[in-house]
Amino acid sequence: MHGGRVEGCGRYGVLVHNGGVVVAGESWVGGCWGDGVRVVTAGGSGAFRIPTLVGRGLQVANNRQCGVNVSGGGRAILQDAGSTANRRDGVAADGEGSQVLLRRCTLAQNGGGGVRVMSLARGRLEACTVLGSGGPGVRGSGQHTAVEVQGGSVRMSGTEGLLVDGGARMS
């Protein structure tokens, strides 16, 4: 999907499921009742290839759930992208094997947190801006969960700028 627009969907704007791969460049996803983009594997790990979202210049906004939600071992790689004004987290990764890599991304005015990584997931932010989240700017939660933050800024969060709890590690 390049230069596309997905909006007003009843569930997810884009669902990357069971080994699917979506490469989105300079596209917009928003106004959906669920997550803007959902990346997930059903049926347990190893049943399918890893579902993957690669977004360059992807903008995700105004969704009723998360902007980008990765779980069940899915993977999202976002570069020069944005997740803005979603009711929950801008980007979320949850569950063993789930991964998010954000490079030069802007996560602003999301109702939950900017980025939430939990329950054995991995997250890496490189030169990102997290601004005005309703909850923590960046949160790592749960045993064996790791979040790495390199450069960038976290400003004006509704609660904590960085929150690490439940045995997670942030560096």
Side-chain angles (χ1 to χ4, degrees), residues 69-121:
N69 193 348
V70 180
S71 65
R75 175 175 51 202
I77 302 164
L78 302 174
Q79 182 172 309
D80 300 315
S83 186
T84 307
N86 299 288
R87 287 195 183 172
R88 293 185 65 198
D89 302 307
V91 174
D94 187 4
E96 185 173 7
S98 298
Q99 303 172 35
V100 292
L101 169 59
L102 309 175
R103 287 191 180 114
R104 297 181 306 275
C105 293
T106 300
L107 302 108
Q109 307 301 323
N110 291 294
V115 179
R116 176 178 46 93
V117 181
M118 58 191 305
S119 305
L120 303 172

Side-chain angles (χ1 to χ4, degrees), residues 17-19 40-49 51 71-73:
H17 191 248
N18 289 346
V40 64
T41 295
S45 61
F48 297 94
R49 292 183 326 187
S71 65

Side-chain angles (χ1 to χ4, degrees), residues 1-4 14 16 20-29 37 39 51-60 67-68 70 75-83 91 99-106 124 126 128:
M1 179 170 80
H2 187 77
V14 176
V16 186
V21 176
V22 170
V23 178
E26 304 301 326
S27 298
W28 190 87
V29 178
V37 180
V39 183
T52 303
L53 166 69
V54 178
R56 293 183 181 92
L58 175 66
Q59 299 298 315
V60 183
V68 176
V70 180
R75 175 175 51 202
I77 302 164
L78 302 174
Q79 182 172 309
D80 300 315
S83 186
V91 174
Q99 303 172 35
V100 292
L101 169 59
L102 309 175
R103 287 191 180 114
R104 297 181 306 275
C105 293
T106 300
R124 181 178 171 114
E126 299 175 359
C128 293

